[in-house]
Amino acid sequence: MRVLVTGASGLVGSVLWERLAAEHTLSGIDLRRDRARGIARGDVRRPRTIRSAFEDVDAVVDLATGAALNLPWSEVEKDIEGRVNVLEAARAHGVRRYVFASSNHVTGMYELDQPYASIVAGAYDGLDPAGIPLIAPDAPIRPDSPYGIGKGFAEIASRHYAECYDMSCLCLRIGTVRPDDRPREARHYATLLTHADLARLVDCALRAPPELRYGIYFGVSANRWRFWDITNARDELGFEPHDDAESFRTDAAG
């Protein structure tokens, strides 16, 4: 597939570029140009700077949002504008598959409830990982920040474009992706999405049947203490994570 990656120079974009380039023909835009990888400069908040990037593209992987949980409202508003610009450019150029990097923070407030609060604190006494009630993608959204609200807006906008235009829009609620590809705090043992599983998830979304018009999917590795439901990602995308954050506890113990 000919795949345009927006925000291609960030952490997630760099991970995907390295792992998907052998399977797809990639092009990219970012605020930072990278001539070595063929990533052009483009600002999704300025539609004129990105239009040409959408020519002759089969799919878009949209990563071009702020990545900080403490993003102020002013930046979230710019990100919302960017989502509309990307969706409009994709529609105008007849792009059939739009994959949006949403976030688990769209449902982040559930983590204040039990048993999730204990799990993210690493307090596992009395808990059975097999008995954890999983948070489903169709659960009411409970954003924990303006950042999460911005991601939620993009999910809603994606549904609009999927239902009103000839586009397939798939939203991936990405878990914790770290530069060192390993957990560093208690919460990460539940929320880690390894680089390899991230690439598997996005590749599955790109290859999903064209008749799959819209969906929201949690992106998380096969962690023992995972509390997000990935059943629909397995059934509809064919995503099967391979990694478990618990392996890093073994490494640390050894």
Side-chain angles (χ1 to χ4, degrees), residues 67-203:
L69 182 58
N70 61 352
L71 215 62
W73 276 112
S74 58
E75 292 300 312
V76 171
E77 290 168 0
K78 294 176 183 177
D79 278 346
I80 288 174
E81 183 179 3
R83 297 292 62 67
V84 174
N85 291 338
V86 171
L87 284 162
E88 270 295 291
R91 179 198 62 78
H93 286 85
V95 178
R96 298 298 180 88
R97 172 63 44 86
Y98 172 79
V99 179
F100 174 60
S102 188
S103 170
N104 63 89
H105 292 285
V106 174
T107 56
M109 291 301 288
Y110 285 97
E111 295 179 29
L112 299 181
D113 302 340
Q114 294 295 351
Y116 317 114
S118 292
I119 293 170
V120 299
Y124 307 126
D125 288 350
L127 296 178
D128 176 4
I132 297 170
L134 301 179
I135 300 169
D138 59 356
I141 67 171
R142 293 177 60 189
D144 58 10
S145 56
Y147 169 79
I149 292 171
K151 295 287 192 177
F153 167 86
E155 293 180 357
I156 296 168
S158 296
R159 182 159 199 160
H160 171 76
Y161 275 79
E163 294 187 346
C164 293
Y165 306 105
D166 189 19
M167 293 175 62
S168 167
C169 299
L170 308 180
C171 302
L172 310 178
R173 289 181 178 168
I174 304 296
T176 300
V177 178
R178 289 192 43 80
D180 57 1
D181 202 19
R182 63 182 298 143
R184 290 296 180 185
E185 59 185 59
R187 180 178 183 268
H188 297 167
Y189 286 95
T191 64
L192 184 72
L193 178 62
T194 64
H195 295 183
D197 282 339
L198 167 64
R200 290 184 189 99
L201 174 63
V202 174
D203 188 50

